Amino acid sequence: LEERVVDEAIRQHELSTNRHPFRARVWSDLGFLYYLKATIQDAPVAQEGMGAALRAIELAPERFEPKRVLALISLRNGDTTQAKVLVESLVAPYPDTPSLYLILSEIAFKEGDLALTAEYGYRGTLGDIHVASKEQVLWLAELLVAQEEYEKIIELYETWLDQNPEDPSLLANLAATYATVGQTQEAIDAATRLKELDPSMAKQADAFIESLN
């Protein structure tokens, strides 16, 4: 996403807030756009973004999205306490929302709690696996290895591979994880799938299978 596109969207939404000053959705979306811009710039969110999110909450204090946006902005700006309070207030009424657990995972990481980072990250990533990147899955798998949560790693790999059949590269990781937990046949099956889908990996796959025999 290019910054100029976000800047234009911000400009349009600021015009919309002039036309519709009492529409919480417009203010919430404006706050999120400022959050996106800050993410692109790797910088704190501008005060205008924080103000837009707060205005949205003022207009619609019970709605989900304004609070989620304010939580993202707070986290981006280093206020993990406020972000945590906001997200935890949303988890109870919206317990099946993956994005909330991803935010909680980031908060836990900033607080140095890697066990919670892994647990929340697993729940959020699995729920949003259709948009999860391979890098995100691999990073989370590393955290889960430290917790010896191999079944969760297997579920993540399998689910991601189902969603991304054009990229079989994680089959190698899946095969290795199966081998780690002693599921030899599943490890062989994963390695066999890898060399069928990616012939360039045949030599490595065959060597791996041989090592299991």
Side-chain angles (χ1 to χ4, degrees):
L1 188 62
E2 295 184 14
E3 187 175 347
R4 62 181 180 80
V5 175
V6 176
D7 283 338
E8 177 58 23
I10 287 173
R11 189 182 73 81
Q12 293 295 332
H13 276 72
E14 286 176 338
L15 292 173
S16 293
T17 61
N18 292 329
R19 294 193 299 268
H20 309 288
F22 300 108
R23 286 190 183 175
R25 176 63 182 272
V26 174
W27 287 103
S28 180
D29 288 350
L30 178 59
F32 185 69
L33 287 167
Y34 272 107
Y35 166 78
L36 283 181
K37 180 174 181 176
T39 302
I40 293 169
Q41 295 177 331
D42 193 22
V45 180
Q47 186 58 44
E48 292 87 345
M50 176 71 77
L54 289 170
R55 177 59 175 155
I57 292 175
E58 181 183 359
L59 292 169
E62 302 304 319
R63 285 192 192 170
F64 171 89
E65 190 60 18
K67 290 181 180 179
R68 189 185 77 92
V69 170
L70 184 58
L72 288 169
I73 291 172
S74 300
L75 185 57
R76 182 79 209 171
N77 287 359
D79 190 347
T80 55
T81 300
Q82 176 165 272
K84 192 172 186 178
V85 168
L86 286 163
V87 175
E88 288 179 344
S89 75
L90 292 171
V91 166
Y94 304 99
D96 299 320
T97 307
S99 64
L100 296 179
Y101 296 99
L102 292 174
I103 298 172
L104 285 173
S105 178
E106 188 174 349
I107 292 170
F109 183 73
K110 288 182 180 295
E111 292 177 341
D113 190 334
L114 296 184
L116 267 183
T117 301
E119 177 58 32
Y120 287 137
Y122 161 77
R123 186 164 181 177
T125 301
L126 199 63
D128 264 352
I129 200 71
H130 60 289
V131 295
S133 68
K134 180 168 63 177
E135 291 72 24
Q136 180 182 344
V137 170
L138 287 170
W139 180 78
L140 181 56
E142 287 186 18
L143 293 177
L144 289 168
V145 165
Q147 309 301 318
E148 298 185 352
E149 294 277 11
Y150 296 108
E151 292 303 320
K152 290 181 178 178
I153 296 170
I154 288 170
E155 185 178 14
L156 274 175
Y157 286 156
E158 288 278 20
T159 308
W160 191 88
L161 285 162
D162 286 344
Q163 291 287 325
N164 299 273
E166 75 287 349
D167 184 355
S169 58
L170 285 188
L171 281 167
N173 304 75
L174 178 62
T177 307
Y178 273 130
T180 298
V181 297
Q183 293 181 244
T184 303
Q185 188 55 55
E186 289 81 354
I188 292 172
D189 292 344
T192 301
R193 283 169 58 198
L194 175 60
K195 67 178 184 177
E196 288 173 352
L197 294 170
D198 184 359
S200 70
M201 293 295 294
K203 185 176 180 179
Q204 294 93 320
D206 284 337
F208 172 79
I209 292 170
E210 180 64 27
S211 73
L212 298 177
N213 296 324

